[in-house]
Amino acid sequence: EWSYSDYAIGFDSTEFWPSSLVDQMPSEAIGGLFPVVNIEQFQSMSRGSAPNRNRIYTVQPNVSLNRGNHNIRSGLDLRWTNVFNENYNNSGGNISFTRQFTRSNITTTSELEGNAFASFLLGAPSSGFVDSNPKPHYQWFFAAPWIQDDWRISNKLTLNLGFRWDINGSVTEENNMLNYAFDPTIVNPVSGRVGMPVMGGIRFAGVDGAPDRPWKLDKDNWQGRVGMAYSINEKTVFRAGYGKYFLNPTGQGNNAGFSKTTNLTASLDNNQTPTYVLSNPWPTGIQTPSGSALGPLTFLGLSPNYSNPDFVVPNVHQFSVGIQRELPWNVSLDMTYAGSRSYDLETGFGAVNEPSAAFQAQCDVTLGGSAAFCNQLITNPFYQVPGFEGTTRFTNPTLSRFELSRPFPAFGGITQNQNNIGKLTYDSAQFVANKRWAKGVTV
């Protein structure tokens, strides 16, 4: 049925799967994709498609002015960055075949039993899925007016004075396909189903009063620069400089709720017999993402990531002091101290939803505790509660005391990204000697 040479450019999957199923494939938006087919011990076919595109528009006007001992330059740096993340990948289907269903005994692990290609010919996949991913259009806006004055005060002293103001906009998405933050104050709507208050939930950008960007616009990024060069005598020059700079973060936030994976059911009896579903691997259809429609019910029982809504742009202070000296025999010597201090560097913080230190001490054998205390299974209040489908909170009647002692037990571990908790210190002593030889050779 499949000919890679025939369908290398396009794949008319209606020749293999029912048109009612093919019409639901997310890849149909680009004319269809050949499905990824993995056959154990054989070469895989296809690899999906992710044609990401970047478009950056810039305008950088500037002007120069000479007045006496002043050389003044000024300008404006404007940038509008667009990223089109068209992640189709497994949206045309991903199906795997192993030797499992062609072995004489399902419990054997013998390399001599079964053949994955035979399983493929039988139409008996071991697993498979279809991804429905968002196709976000991320945008950043950046503006930075600046001015620089090189001021020759005298034959011995020159000053370099500068100022720059960066307006570094946080990411936005054209259709608000972004999470805003995890809100610990929300009384989650699932509370009524659980029969007790359940706190916390994901919010969405541009929904229910939330801003349209995952963190605030940072507008107070003022930067001063100053430098000097002073001629102590004909053979000795003293130089020093300082500048403050802001980094250019390009974080894209998070899209919880805007992706969905539809898995096929390969067997109904623990892999003893296949369901033989290759002719229609997803008979109940392809599931579509809920987007922001579920509100705080999104990602229940899972481990969401979100961006720090109070994130600020990291900055670095750079400075140097040095002396350049001309020595005999055409040798010049530079001795410089250079350093920097970086603040508010961004990193992730994964302890948002961890049990307290006092609780965890009871599980730490080095502190006199017992691991059994945290691992003890207790009644799971979220068992079979609608909204938790596809998670251990839905399927397991009991959970560990550790899991249910989280501040927000309806969720797993939670990570806050874009945290300004990093610092970097750099110091250096630099020595450079140059010897000029004849005929343009320098050592």
Side-chain angles (χ1 to χ4, degrees):
E1 292 288 344
W2 281 340
S3 172
Y4 190 79
S5 60
D6 291 344
Y7 302 119
I9 303 301
F11 173 60
D12 185 5
S13 48
T14 57
E15 293 186 8
F16 199 82
W17 290 328
S19 58
S20 59
L21 173 64
V22 172
D23 290 342
Q24 299 178 54
M25 290 284 187
S27 62
E28 284 302 288
I30 56 171
L33 285 176
F34 191 91
V36 178
V37 181
N38 306 297
I39 303 177
E40 185 181 10
Q41 296 182 316
F42 290 84
Q43 181 66 42
S44 296
M45 293 185 287
S46 189
R47 58 175 181 170
S49 174
N52 296 336
R53 295 175 289 123
N54 298 335
R55 293 178 181 172
I56 303 174
Y57 304 93
T58 66
V59 178
Q60 297 177 326
N62 60 82
V63 62
S64 298
L65 177 67
N66 288 307
R67 283 293 183 269
N69 293 333
H70 294 271
N71 179 15
I72 302 173
R73 290 165 293 154
S74 183
L76 178 64
D77 184 355
L78 290 174
R79 306 177 212 165
W80 182 32
T81 301
N82 296 261
V83 174
F84 300 85
N85 190 353
E86 300 178 359
N87 181 18
Y88 289 93
N89 279 339
N90 294 303
S91 61
N94 186 309
I95 301 182
S96 297
F97 298 87
T98 67
R99 292 167 291 170
Q100 174 65 32
F101 293 126
T102 51
R103 286 171 167 156
S104 62
N105 186 335
I106 65 170
T107 62
T108 183
T109 58
S110 171
E111 294 289 332
L112 302 178
E113 287 273 342
N115 185 284
F117 198 81
S119 298
F120 169 69
L121 295 177
L122 287 172
S126 59
S127 63
F129 60 93
V130 175
D131 280 338
S132 181
N133 297 319
K135 314 298 183 293
H137 171 195
Y138 297 114
Q139 302 175 80
W140 294 263
F141 177 77
F142 176 84
W146 59 271
I147 186 169
Q148 176 83 21
D149 182 9
D150 298 325
W151 179 16
R152 187 175 179 84
I153 297 177
S154 67
N155 291 333
K156 286 182 170 290
L157 178 63
T158 299
L159 290 181
N160 310 103
L161 305 173
F163 174 81
R164 182 182 175 103
W165 177 30
D166 283 7
I167 304 172
N168 204 322
S170 61
V171 64
T172 59
E173 201 286 320
E174 185 176 39
N175 298 304
N176 281 339
M177 290 194 295
L178 288 173
N179 303 132
Y180 173 60
F182 181 85
D183 189 342
T185 66
I186 291 177
V187 178
N188 200 289
V190 81
S191 299
R193 307 173 194 169
V194 177
M196 66 179 189
V198 176
M199 302 301 296
I202 288 288
R203 298 185 65 189
F204 292 85
V207 177
D208 294 332
D212 64 351
R213 57 190 70 223
W215 58 86
K216 64 183 180 181
L217 177 63
D218 192 1
K219 297 181 292 186
D220 57 352
N221 300 330
W222 315 101
Q223 303 160 75
R225 290 93 184 269
V226 59
M228 65 167 292
Y230 179 72
S231 179
I232 299 175
N233 54 46
E234 292 183 353
K235 295 187 177 182
T236 308
V237 177
F238 173 81
R239 293 186 176 91
Y242 163 81
K244 183 179 182 181
Y245 302 83
F246 282 86
L247 306 185
N248 187 24
T250 55
Q252 296 179 348
N254 297 278
N255 306 100
F258 295 96
S259 298
K260 189 73 173 181
T261 297
T262 305
N263 294 300
L264 65 81
T265 301
S267 174
L268 299 176
D269 54 8
N270 197 26
N271 289 332
Q272 294 185 55
T273 54
T275 55
Y276 292 94
V277 293
L278 189 55
S279 62
N280 189 7
W282 297 275
T284 59
I286 306 302
Q287 300 176 20
T288 57
S290 60
S292 60
L294 295 179
L297 294 171
T298 304
F299 246 54
L300 283 173
L302 299 174
S303 299
N305 292 357
Y306 69 97
S307 298
N308 173 21
D310 296 318
F311 172 72
V312 296
V313 178
N315 63 87
V316 56
H317 300 258
Q318 297 183 351
F319 37 84
S320 64
V321 177
I323 290 179
Q324 184 180 52
R325 173 71 177 178
E326 182 183 348
L327 302 176
W329 307 294
N330 292 325
V331 174
S332 66
L333 177 65
D334 287 283
M335 298 176 292
T336 304
Y337 160 76
S340 66
R341 302 292 183 268
S342 302
Y343 300 100
D344 296 329
L345 299 181
E346 62 178 298
T347 184
F349 179 68
V352 175
N353 197 28
E354 298 303 298
S356 68
F359 172 86
Q360 295 194 47
Q362 300 178 70
C363 316
D364 190 342
V365 294
T366 65
L367 298 176
S370 170
F373 176 77
C374 279
N375 295 334
Q376 182 180 357
L377 297 178
I378 56 181
T379 301
N380 173 19
F382 311 114
Y383 177 61
Q384 296 293 300
V385 173
F388 290 90
E389 292 91 345
T391 72
T392 56
R393 279 161 173 72
F394 184 81
T395 57
N396 294 355
T398 59
L399 289 175
S400 70
R401 178 180 277 111
F402 183 93
E403 279 297 310
L404 294 177
S405 296
R406 295 181 183 274
F408 308 100
F411 299 88
I414 300 176
T415 299
Q416 185 186 72
N417 297 318
Q418 282 77 45
N419 260 273
N420 296 112
I421 56 178
K423 178 182 177 181
L424 182 64
T425 298
Y426 171 76
D427 294 284
S428 68
Q430 304 173 6
F431 301 91
V432 179
N434 284 293
K435 165 64 177 175
R436 290 195 300 273
W437 295 83
K439 297 182 181 180
V441 179
T442 300
V443 177

